[in-house]
């Protein structure tokens, strides 16, 4: 149930294009959770946010962050 509420909040922030706030909340959650699915989901949202911000700003560093988070997410999925 708690995970559902976290995901709903993340979706709303993403839809509202509040990428900076979403990145902050995901990073806070990643520091405090030991739940694998929440870690994988968090990496997914970080990647989406960095990608969207990169598209808006044409910033190559943000594209690199999006790629890095995609690789982390893929690795976590393989480990589980």
């Amino acid at each position: 149930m708690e995970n559902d509420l976290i995901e709903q909040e993340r979706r709303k922030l993403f839809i509202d294009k509040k990428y900076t706030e979403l990145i902050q909340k995901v990073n806070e959650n990643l520091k405090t959770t030991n739940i694998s699915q929440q870690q994988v989901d968090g990496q997914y949202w970080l990647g989406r946010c960095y990608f969207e911000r990169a598209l808006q700003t044409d910033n190559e560093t943000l594209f690199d962050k999006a790629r890095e988070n995609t690789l982390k997410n893929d690795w976590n999925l393989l480990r589980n």
Side-chain angles (χ1 to χ4, degrees):
M1 184 69 168
E2 180 184 345
N3 194 41
D4 291 340
L5 293 174
I6 291 170
E7 283 302 302
Q8 287 176 5
E9 179 184 27
R10 290 174 178 176
R11 279 190 205 102
K12 178 159 180 24
L13 289 170
F14 188 81
I15 289 168
D16 293 343
K17 298 182 180 185
K18 295 182 178 179
Y19 306 124
T20 302
E21 184 179 348
L22 179 53
I23 289 169
Q24 179 183 1
K25 287 187 178 283
V26 168
N27 281 326
E28 288 171 7
N29 181 254
L30 287 174
K31 290 177 187 175
T32 60
T33 187
N34 292 327
I35 301 170
S36 296
Q37 187 60 51
Q38 284 185 10
Q39 291 172 344
V40 170
D41 292 345
Q43 292 299 332
Y44 166 80
W45 286 111
L46 286 176
R48 289 286 309 264
C49 287
Y50 288 130
F51 183 73
E52 291 296 327
R53 285 177 55 198
L55 288 174
Q56 290 175 344
T57 63
D58 200 29
N59 185 327
E60 289 184 33
T61 303
L62 292 173
F63 277 112
D64 290 340
K65 283 188 175 188
R67 187 178 63 80
E68 176 183 316
N69 278 292
T70 300
L71 294 174
K72 282 183 190 177
N73 191 22
D74 290 346
W75 175 248
N76 285 333
L77 286 172
L78 290 174
R79 286 189 357 205
N80 294 325

